Amino acid sequence: MGEERLEGLLEENRVFKPGAEFQAQAAVQEGKVYEEAESDRLGFWGKAAERLSWFRPWEKVLEWEPPFAQWYVGGKLNASYNCIDRHLAGWRRNKAAIIFEGEHGDSRVLTYQNLYREVNKFANVLKSLGVEKGDRVTIYLPMIPEAAIAMLACARIGAPHSVVFGGFSAEALRDRINDAQAKVLITSDGSFRRGSVVPLKENADTALAGAGSVEHVIVVQRTGSEVHMQEGRDLWYHEQMQKAAVECPPEEMDAEDMLFILYTSGTTGKPKGVVHTTGGYMVGVSTTHEWIFDLKEEDVYWCTADVGWITGHSYIVYGPLANGATVVMYEGTPDYPAKDRFWEIVEKYRVTILYTAPTAIRTFMKWGPSYPESRDLSSLRVLGTVGEPINPEAWIWYHTYIGRERCPIVDTWWQTETGMIMMAPLPGLTDLKPGSCTVPFPGVKVEVVDHDGQPVPKGSGGYLVVREPWPAMLRTVYGDNDRYVQTYWGNWPGIYFTGDGAKWDQDGYFWVLGRVDDVINVSGHRIGTAEVESALVDHPAVAEAACIGKNHEVKGQAVAAFVTLKEGVETRNGLVDELKAHVAKKIGALARPDDIFFTAELPKTRSGKIMRRLLRDIAEGRALGDTTTLADASVVQTLKEQYQE
Ligand code: WT7
C-alpha cells in the first residue's frame, strides 16, 4: 500500500464501521446490552457472574460504603479452579492453554490438563514450604510458563501473589518484598534478553540482603547460568516439583479474599500496592476479555505484555484462562533475532487475536512495512491496543499493514487499579474512530468532569473519572487505606479519579489525553517523577532534581531530568551517563532518563514547589506558559537559554 493512500486515510478523519461478516459472527451483536446495563447495572453484573463456577453463590451483588466496595457478598470460589479445573470435564482438557515461544524459538505447549498438573504440583510445593492461605508470595520471573503456573498455584492455595516485573532492579524488588512481607520468593537463574542473560537470581540475592521476611527462594532453571544457592533457603523448582504430589484441592476463597497485590507508581517516591480480590476481578476480566476481543473457542490469542504488569495478569492469565482460551506467551523482544519476530510468531501459530501497545506499533512503523509484509498474517481477525493513547497515524498503520484492513482495532483504556478494561469498543457493534478508545464497557460509568466534579458538556475536556463502583476495582492500597482514600477518592467524594485528562466528543466518544498528575507514561509503563527524582538525589553529586515526561516519537513519553549539583561539585565528562546508570540501578532500565540537564537552580513557586509545567515547556521548546507564580522569574529564562545551547 502506497504512502499516498495512507495519507488519504488520515485526512478523511474516518469512522470505521464493523464489517457485515464480522458483525454477523460477533460475540455481542446487539446494542441493547448497553441499555440493559444502564437501566440495571447491578443486574447486569449479577448475570455476568454466572459465567464463573462458584462453590457457593453470592447473596448480594454489591455492598458499597464509599469508597469501600464488596462485590458478590458471601460468594465462594477459587480463581485457579475457574481457570483450569472446570475446563477438564469436556474436550477442553486437551486444548492448548498456553503455547509458549522462547526467545530462541524453542516452543512448549501446555494443555489444560498439563496446566492442571503443573499448578497442582507447584501449589503442593508452596504448601510444603509452609505457605498458607493469606501468606504473600513474590514472583520475579521471565515470561515463561512457570510465571503463570506460579500465579495460579498461589491462587489455588489462597496465597496472594505479588509479581515484580523482571526488568526491575534489586532495590525495587527489595522494596516490594518488604512492603508485602513476602514469605517466599520465586525467581529464575536468569532471563534471556536479546541473546544475553539478565541475572535475576543475582538481583534477588542482593534484594534479599535487605528483606528479612523471605524464608525460601524457589529457583526455576531457565538459562542454565551458574547461580549461588544458599543452603537451607534456596531450592530448585525442578527438584521440588519431582517430589510433589499431583493433587492439591483448591481453597474455597471468599469473593472478597485478596487474589494479588501489584505495585504501581504514583506521585510519591513509594510505589502503591494495588490490591485486587477474587470474585469481582474474575467476573470483570473474563467478561471483558470475551466481549471486547470477540473470543471464540478456536481463537489463538496473543497478548504481548509481560506478566509483571496488570495487562499480563488480567489478559494473559486470569481473563483468557477463565474463558478456556488458547494463549500464546512469548519470552522475548520484537527485534530478536530479527525485526519480523512478532510476525513470524503470528504466522507460526496462526494467531487470530493480537493485543499489543502503541509504542510497539510505532516501532514497527519506523522499521517499515516490509517485515509484516514478508509473513502470512491472514489468520488475524481482531487487533487490540493498550497502555497509552494511540495516535491516529499509528492506528491507521496497524489497521493497514497488520490488519490488512480486515480487522477491527479495539483500543482499550484501563489501569492497574481498574483491573479490567473500562472503555473499548465491542468490535461487532461499535464504530471505530482512530485515536479514541470509544465508549465505556456496559455496566461501567465513566465521565469527564471539571474542577468541581461536574460533568462537562459533549465536545469539551476535563478530568476522567469513574462514577460508580465496578467489579474488578482495586479494594485498597496494601496496608494503607488512607492512601487509597486520598489518592483515588480525595478530590470529589464518591468519585474515583483516574489521574487522566480526557475529552468526549459530540458522539459521546472518549479521547484520553494522558496523565494530569506527576506520572510519566514511558512505553505504556507508569513511572512516578518522584521515584526518579529520589533515585537521582541518592547520587552523591546531586543536590536536587526535577523530572518531567517529554514527548517521544516511539515511547510516547521519555524521562527528562533537570539536576542541580551539590555545592562544589563540577559537571564532568561521564557524569550524565553515571546518573542515568544510577537511576537504572535504583529502579530499573525502564526509568532511565533520556536527557539530563544541569542547572544552577530549578523554577519554583514562592512556596517552594517545583513548576514542572515550565520545565516541560522548556524541554519541548515551547513558549513559556504563565510564570507569574514563580519566586524568581530569571531562573527559567537562564534555564531556557542554557537548554537551547
Ligand atoms: C494509564 C494506566 C492498563 C494496562 C496498561 C497500563 C494510560 C492505558 C490507555 C489507552 C489512553 C491509556 C492512562 C492510564 N492508558 N490505556 N487505551 N488510551 N491511555 O496500566 O500502568 O496502570 O497505566 O495508562 O494514562 O491512566 P498502568
Side-chain angles (χ1 to χ4, degrees), residues 310-311 387-389 411-416 500 515 521 526:
I310 191 70
T311 310
E388 53 171 315
D411 177 354
T412 64
W413 178 89
W414 58 297
Q415 309 181 296
T416 303
D500 279 350
R515 306 291 304 193
N521 189 329
R526 204 195 290 191

Side-chain angles (χ1 to χ4, degrees), residues 25 65 71 80 133 147 158 169 195 201 213 216 237 277 292 298 308 326 358 417 437-438 455 476 494 533 604 610 621:
Q25 60 80 61
E65 281 177 41
W71 282 85
S80 95
K133 182 176 171 180
S169 68
K201 175 63 166 68
S213 62
H216 288 288
Y237 178 93
T277 57
I292 294 166
E298 59 276 19
T326 293
E417 292 86 347
C437 60
T438 73
T476 190
E533 287 160 7
K604 287 183 190 163
I610 294 169

Side-chain angles (χ1 to χ4, degrees), residues 539-591:
H539 189 279
V542 177
E544 201 175 21
C547 292
I548 54 149
K550 183 184 163 178
N551 288 335
H552 188 280
E553 203 191 330
V554 173
K555 296 193 261 193
Q557 286 190 303
V559 180
F562 292 81
V563 167
T564 318
L565 295 177
K566 279 190 186 145
E567 208 47 51
V569 178
E570 293 294 318
T571 53
R572 54 172 189 268
N573 269 348
L575 183 57
V576 165
D577 289 338
E578 203 179 306
L579 294 181
K580 289 182 182 177
H582 193 70
V583 174
K585 177 174 167 277
K586 297 290 288 184
I587 306 173
L590 72 165

Side-chain angles (χ1 to χ4, degrees), residues 266-435:
T267 49
T268 73
K270 190 174 178 282
K272 296 178 289 237
V274 168
V275 170
H276 283 289
T277 57
T278 310
Y281 175 81
M282 292 300 291
V283 172
V285 297
S286 63
T287 309
T288 49
H289 180 257
E290 184 191 340
W291 287 20
I292 294 166
F293 295 102
D294 188 49
L295 184 75
K296 298 293 187 313
E297 195 66 73
E298 59 276 19
D299 273 314
V300 178
Y301 164 87
W302 181 22
C303 166
T304 68
D306 192 283
V307 285
W309 309 110
I310 191 70
T311 310
H313 284 58
S314 301
Y315 298 105
I316 295 177
V317 180
Y318 291 110
L321 297 179
N323 290 337
T326 293
V327 175
V328 173
M329 186 175 190
Y330 172 50
E331 180 182 37
T333 56
D335 58 352
Y336 188 86
K339 293 191 171 80
D340 66 347
R341 190 68 170 107
F342 272 26
W343 321 122
E344 181 190 19
I345 293 171
V346 169
E347 185 181 82
K348 180 170 176 187
Y349 299 111
R350 306 288 299 153
V351 171
T352 58
I353 306 172
L354 175 68
Y355 190 26
T356 192
T359 185
I361 298 163
R362 289 191 296 264
T363 305
F364 300 137
M365 267 174 92
K366 239 176 118 163
W367 292 342
S370 67
Y371 298 100
E373 274 168 358
S374 69
R375 296 288 178 175
D376 178 4
L377 306 185
S378 61
S379 56
L380 288 172
R381 59 179 208 92
V382 178
L383 303 176
T385 78
V386 63
E388 53 171 315
I390 182 165
N391 46 314
E393 294 80 357
W395 196 104
I396 296 284
W397 194 91
Y398 195 28
H399 187 260
T400 307
Y401 293 108
I402 308 305
R404 313 255 160 104
E405 299 188 11
R406 283 186 339 265
C407 308
I409 296 180
V410 291
D411 177 354
T412 64
W413 178 89
W414 58 297
Q415 309 181 296
T416 303
E417 292 86 347
T418 69
M420 62 186 239
I421 297 172
M422 301 290 275
M423 294 197 277
L426 295 179
L429 266 181
T430 318
D431 292 351
L432 309 175
K433 297 186 187 189

Side-chain angles (χ1 to χ4, degrees), residues 159-271:
H161 53 70
S162 157
V163 183
V164 177
F165 170 57
F168 275 119
S169 68
E171 293 188 33
L173 174 63
R174 180 200 60 203
D175 293 347
R176 286 158 176 76
I177 292 173
N178 284 335
D179 190 80
Q181 287 293 295
K183 199 168 185 178
V184 164
L185 172 66
I186 304 161
T187 188
S188 71
D189 55 356
S191 107
F192 289 121
R193 184 149 181 97
R194 295 198 174 90
S196 60
V197 170
V198 182
L200 291 187
K201 175 63 166 68
E202 213 177 291
N203 291 351
D205 287 337
T206 310
L208 289 177
S213 62
V214 172
E215 292 168 14
H216 288 288
V217 182
I218 304 172
V219 186
V220 179
Q221 210 164 38
R222 175 58 187 153
T223 58
S225 320
E226 187 96 22
V227 294
H228 168 74
M229 297 290 279
Q230 186 177 308
E231 186 76 41
R233 184 192 73 180
D234 302 352
L235 305 158
W236 286 107
Y237 178 93
H238 59 275
E239 287 178 8
Q240 297 301 307
M241 287 292 268
Q242 232 160 30
K243 302 186 280 199
V246 184
E247 296 289 332
C248 175
E251 196 74 37
E252 282 201 12
M253 303 299 285
D254 190 89
E256 280 301 323
D257 278 336
M258 200 193 312
L259 179 59
F260 63 85
I261 306 170
L262 184 59
Y263 288 87
T264 189
S265 295
T267 49
T268 73
K270 190 174 178 282

